[in-house]
Amino acid sequence: MIGAAISANERFGRSAGRIGVYVRFGPLWLAGALALAVPAQAQIFGESPPPVPPAAVPMPDIGGAANLAPSSGAAAAPALPQSILAPPGAAPAPVPSASAPAGAATPPANPQQAVLALSAKFGKDLPAVTGGVIWRIYADRPDPSGVFRLVREERSPTPNIVLPPGSYVVHASLGLASAVRPVTLRQDTMRESFEIPAGGLRIEGRVGTTRIPSGQVTFNIYKGSQFDAEEKTPIAQNVPSGDIALIPEGNYYIISNYGDGNSVVRSDIRVQAGKLTDVTVTHRAALIVLKLVSERGGEALANTSWSVLTPGGDIVKESIGAFPRVVLAEGQYRAIARNEGRVFERNFDVVNGVDGEIEVLSK
């Protein structure tokens, strides 16, 4: 199954000629790994089509797969952003839990109450989820305002929740993956096991062998393939480098933006339930500093307006200043500088991984 997905991705890369991605699966089980995290910036917004680089970016080099939870024992917990752990949209305010202690469920002391024992696993034949699950118990009918009232919220992986007998709706979320089920409690213990087929996705960007700093590269994650015809909304936007996004298993594509120029890479990947997929997106680009000088090696002239164009005349970047910095995909460009009513220009090449200055003479 994995080999087939890899071959498909390789075919995608050859046909597009614009994919740069390396996928690695490391031996790390989600089970003990999905605990606490710091806030992150994954959001859901629209996106305008990115500019097309003047030169091709590399095809994907895609590796194998590895578990997110060991077959026995718990692994060290990676930091998971809270905004990724929570489902999309505003979560309801936590309600104090009246849960029994985790572990074996026991009948409630009050015979007018019942115990709901909950657990989750990554799939039918996959291990249990041992952290990161948010359980929410709702009334099974809306109130007069049309809202389903939140009865309990619990963040233990295997809570035993004491509730009055009756009908409820149980919602379990693990990152952006979730499951929901109606339950009816009587005056005893009811055990419910949920399957949440989620996988972890961690992405970083590189130029050659050099890692791009997290503040300079971001990733948007979309469901499906980059070759799908319909326009899509990202399920997570501006995901920082190195963060772990927990998403339902399936096929996705990543749009990676390095800097604010035209270094944009699209990559098809597959996320498997219970596994952490490490993706390295390779950009072929360089950081360029522009200077308008009266002589080579001279001082840069202030109050200069800049335009960077492709050979076809498409504008890649416009800015104002003495030392504008722009990340450009590998290829050929023309820099146009405007200062005090005069226009100067120069053609230049960008070589992958070779940062540098481009001087335009004011003569």
Side-chain angles (χ1 to χ4, degrees):
M1 296 292 290
I2 296 172
I6 291 171
S7 299
N9 279 334
E10 291 173 343
R11 290 196 296 273
F12 288 155
R14 286 193 290 271
S15 64
R18 298 187 53 244
I19 304 174
V21 58
Y22 167 76
V23 179
R24 183 181 72 255
F25 302 88
L28 177 68
W29 267 115
L30 250 184
L34 310 179
L36 303 176
V38 297
Q41 299 139 3
Q43 304 174 35
I44 300 188
F45 299 106
E47 179 196 44
S48 57
V52 178
V57 290
M59 295 193 310
D61 176 17
I62 300 180
N67 292 333
L68 281 183
S71 55
S72 61
L80 300 180
Q82 192 60 37
S83 60
I84 294 291
L85 285 174
V95 176
S97 175
S99 302
T106 57
N110 187 341
Q112 299 304 315
Q113 292 183 316
V115 173
L116 177 59
L118 299 172
S119 62
K121 55 185 180 179
F122 293 107
K124 181 178 179 181
D125 299 319
L126 294 178
V129 180
T130 61
V133 184
I134 301 176
W135 301 96
R136 292 188 175 97
I137 314 299
Y138 293 91
D140 70 329
R141 297 179 183 276
D143 60 20
S145 64
V147 176
F148 287 82
R149 182 175 60 90
L150 177 65
V151 178
R152 292 282 187 272
E153 180 177 300
E154 178 62 57
R155 293 172 184 257
S156 167
T158 55
N160 298 323
I161 305 175
V162 179
L163 295 167
S167 296
Y168 301 89
V169 175
V170 181
H171 180 274
S173 63
L174 182 63
L176 298 179
S178 63
V180 63
R181 181 183 304 167
V183 298
T184 299
L185 300 182
R186 297 178 176 81
Q187 295 179 7
D188 53 12
T189 297
M190 182 175 187
R191 300 179 183 274
E192 290 288 334
S193 178
F194 284 66
E195 292 182 8
I196 310 178
L201 177 60
R202 181 168 54 196
I203 320 169
E204 71 170 29
R206 289 182 180 269
V207 173
T209 58
T210 303
R211 185 178 184 273
I212 302 173
S214 59
Q216 299 178 22
V217 61
T218 57
F219 309 97
N220 299 333
I221 304 172
Y222 296 79
K223 182 70 176 176
S225 169
Q226 61 178 305
F227 303 102
D228 294 340
E230 69 273 18
E231 185 176 347
K232 297 182 179 180
T233 300
I235 65 166
Q237 187 172 6
N238 296 331
V239 178
S241 177
D243 276 14
I244 297 177
L246 297 176
I247 57 181
E249 70 171 340
N251 296 320
Y252 297 87
Y253 67 96
I254 303 165
I255 296 181
S256 173
N257 293 272
Y258 172 30
D260 58 355
N262 66 338
S263 185
V264 181
V265 178
R266 298 167 182 258
S267 311
D268 277 81
I269 57 101
R270 176 163 180 79
V271 173
Q272 295 175 268
K275 296 186 178 181
L276 174 63
T277 303
D278 272 311
V279 176
T280 299
V281 178
T282 302
H283 286 258
R284 297 189 63 86
L287 176 63
I288 302 298
V289 178
L290 301 172
K291 297 171 60 177
L292 178 63
V293 296
S294 56
E295 60 182 4
R296 296 192 180 280
E299 292 294 326
L301 301 180
N303 301 319
T304 302
S305 298
W306 293 91
S307 297
V308 178
L309 285 71
T310 67
D314 296 326
I315 297 176
V316 176
K317 177 70 176 179
E318 292 185 313
S319 58
I320 298 176
F323 304 97
R325 298 157 59 92
V326 58
V327 175
L328 297 172
E330 184 179 46
Q332 297 179 332
Y333 299 89
R334 183 167 82 255
I336 299 177
R338 300 174 178 85
N339 185 276
E340 297 183 351
R342 297 186 298 168
V343 179
F344 312 94
E345 63 179 79
R346 174 187 169 182
N347 294 327
F348 66 97
D349 294 336
V350 173
V351 178
N352 178 43
V354 181
D355 301 339
E357 292 184 349
I358 298 298
E359 293 184 337
V360 178
L361 294 177
S362 59
K363 295 181 180 180

